Amino acid sequence: MRNLVMALVMAAIGVSASGQTAVKEPAAALLPPMGWNSWNHFANHVTDADVREAADELVSSGMRDAGYVYVNVDDTWQGKRDAAGVLHPNERFPDMKALGDYIHSKGLKFGIYSSPGAKTCGGYEGSLGHEAQDAKMYAAWGVDFLKYDLCSMQDDMRAVRAAHPEDPMAEYKFMIAAYKKMGDALKATGRPIVYSLCQYGMDEPWKFGPGVGATMWRTTDDINDTYQRMLNIAYGQVGLGKYTSPGHWNDPDMLEVGNGGMNTEEYRTHMSLWAVLGAPLLAGNDLSKMTEADKAILMNREVIAIDQDKLGKGGDRVLQLGDFSVWERPLSGHRTAVAMVNASVSGRDIPVEFAAIGFPKGAKVHDVWAGKDLGHIRVLNETFPGHGVMLFIFSE
Ligand code: GAL
């Protein structure tokens, strides 16, 4: 019933039921956006200097050349609006245009954050009532990416629900219209700006996202730097692969690789899963303190190539047996990326019959993390370490 009503709501505001085709416009990101975001490490303490340092590190570490180009300032950059409604940054961000210029001078792109509500999740100024004004200002600053986080709009939604007891979908119409308002405002600037919805995966943003002009949409509540949370998010992506296409990306949240809460094997699992899902890869660590292991994970070219495959299809889980799971993503050139995840804390010998994962004739197998070819096989007999992963490319 609710799905039906959602479809009617979306039709009413010009979004098709599938959400995929009603509004056809040039996609701002034909491949999953890659870069860095301040939130996971710096949270609400981030400064202009931290962001500039991240830009420098993206270049010196080689991450920019591996594809990580967006430098995204998350929540807490905002100050107050003046009498004309113009939003100024706070004292930690003296000059946003200068920051954007600095980022661009390094061959990188500039991302920013706001909310459709009056307040962001950190309690800073949101864009409610100032959408067009803010979008123009972002464009003038050279912004290339906007994360638009629901936050206090949830209070407005509750108020709409209370005011319209006769219409159970009133709050959703209101929310979708708010996201579309900013999508339209960004489009009106004429500057290609990746539009990233952050709505915690409530109300199926993968369906209404494309229709409001979004490039990507969060499919989940926040990640944190633990194996269990990362894995639970991955499990929450099951069935969503079909909503990914070039320019339209499911976003299971930013990377935690390098933040210290998981071990190398666990971070490798995180990176493998995000690549096989075709997720945006937004590093969230302190780039000035990366270990060699962090760099090897974040900059593995073959893993990045899986994520950035030009076919642009999503990946999905094809097998779950206890805490062992197999995930697949179709790649260009009739290849398939295959991630096998041992979520058990203990190491295990796991024989995998390829017939059980969609390859009855076997496949030519390349082990991505080991960087070696295993030949044409029908059964894999491997010892998986606890919380371990194997990532392969299968070809015929
Ligand atoms: C959350 C969001 C996080 C981060 C934070 C900032 O709602 O999911 O990714 O942006 O707000 O306050």
Side-chain angles (χ1 to χ4, degrees):
M1 175 61 187
R2 179 152 155 192
N3 277 347
L4 175 66
V5 186
M6 273 300 271
L8 293 173
V9 169
M10 291 190 284
I13 60 162
V15 180
S16 80
S18 73
Q20 300 287 350
T21 50
V23 181
K24 266 275 178 231
E25 60 223 17
L30 290 175
L31 298 173
M34 291 176 66
W36 174 87
N37 173 294
S38 58
W39 186 254
N40 283 356
H41 177 74
F42 290 99
N44 53 357
H45 301 296
V46 65
T47 65
D48 175 280
D50 296 331
V51 177
R52 286 172 190 249
E53 187 180 16
D56 295 346
E57 293 289 342
L58 283 174
V59 178
S60 61
S61 65
M63 282 180 71
R64 176 195 64 188
D65 296 341
Y68 294 87
V69 293
Y70 288 96
V71 181
N72 294 352
V73 183
D74 206 276
D75 200 359
T76 77
W77 62 267
Q78 310 87 335
K80 296 279 166 244
R81 291 192 187 274
D82 63 23
V86 177
L87 178 59
H88 296 271
N90 62 42
E91 61 291 347
R92 284 181 281 118
F93 287 88
D95 185 338
M96 293 303 265
K97 168 84 171 72
L99 178 58
D101 288 348
Y102 184 79
I103 289 169
H104 289 140
S105 77
K106 303 259 160 183
L108 297 163
K109 296 183 177 198
F110 180 27
I112 208 166
Y113 167 103
S114 190
S115 169
K119 294 287 174 202
T120 68
C121 295
Y124 288 67
E125 285 296 307
S127 291
L128 184 66
H130 296 274
E131 293 81 1
Q133 186 174 28
D134 286 359
K136 274 193 209 137
M137 182 178 70
Y138 303 149
W141 287 347
V143 163
D144 305 294
F145 185 115
L146 173 68
K147 173 173 169 183
Y148 210 43
D149 194 355
L150 192 64
C151 303
S152 82
M153 171 124 296
Q154 291 170 99
D155 300 335
D156 302 299
M157 289 168 68
R158 276 187 280 275
V160 168
R161 191 193 316 160
H164 294 281
E166 78 292 352
D167 180 358
M169 296 309 286
E171 63 190 287
Y172 301 106
K173 289 184 215 166
F174 175 75
M175 175 204 56
I176 292 172
Y179 275 114
K180 187 163 188 308
K181 195 166 190 182
M182 182 52 95
D184 290 346
L186 293 176
K187 217 180 308 159
T189 68
R191 185 177 174 87
I193 297 177
V194 169
Y195 185 29
S196 166
L197 308 189
C198 181
Q199 195 254 354
Y200 331 122
M202 302 184 310
D203 307 311
E204 306 183 317
W206 42 91
K207 291 189 178 165
F208 71 77
V212 302
T215 323
M216 54 192 261
W217 40 83
R218 276 269 293 274
T219 50
T220 166
D221 209 337
D222 291 17
I223 195 166
N224 62 40
D225 192 13
T226 62
Y227 183 74
Q228 208 48 55
R229 179 69 190 136
M230 179 278 296
L231 190 72
N232 284 344
I233 287 181
Y235 287 168
Q237 308 307 299
V238 172
L240 300 185
K242 60 177 179 287
Y243 296 104
T244 279
S245 64
H248 296 130
W249 308 104
N250 288 325
D251 173 15
D253 207 358
M254 303 170 290
L255 296 170
E256 291 283 7
V257 178
N259 277 330
M262 295 184 233
N263 64 34
T264 299
E265 208 48 55
E266 294 170 336
Y267 280 142
R268 219 179 267 144
T269 304
H270 181 14
M271 186 77 181
S272 303
L273 282 167
W274 265 233
V276 168
L277 292 169
L281 296 178
L282 295 171
N285 54 322
D286 180 352
L287 301 178
S288 68
K289 297 196 173 60
M290 283 195 284
T291 64
E292 288 310 310
D294 300 332
K295 290 185 193 170
I297 293 171
L298 287 168
M299 284 190 271
N300 183 299
R301 300 297 168 117
E302 291 187 48
V303 181
I304 291 173
I306 290 173
D307 181 79
Q308 298 285 297
D309 187 77
K310 62 180 183 209
L311 205 56
K313 293 212 164 164
D316 226 312
R317 188 175 63 187
V318 296
L319 182 81
Q320 179 86 47
L321 279 176
D323 44 20
F324 179 73
S325 57
V326 180
W327 304 71
E328 293 180 359
R329 180 181 195 206
L331 301 178
S332 55
H334 307 288
R335 298 166 309 139
T336 306
V338 182
M340 300 184 183
V341 175
N342 172 29
S344 164
V345 283
S346 340
R348 293 191 299 179
D349 293 330
I350 305 176
V352 183
E353 303 254 1
F354 286 7
I357 56 169
F359 292 85
K361 294 185 191 143
K364 219 172 106 199
V365 174
H366 177 73
D367 179 336
V368 172
W369 289 112
K372 66 173 192 218
D373 292 329
L374 305 184
H376 190 284
I377 52 179
R378 286 166 189 259
V379 181
L380 184 83
N381 280 302
E382 282 289 343
T383 303
F384 286 75
H387 289 185
V389 68
M390 294 199 77
L391 181 61
F392 303 105
I393 292 178
F394 283 13
S395 48
E396 298 303 323

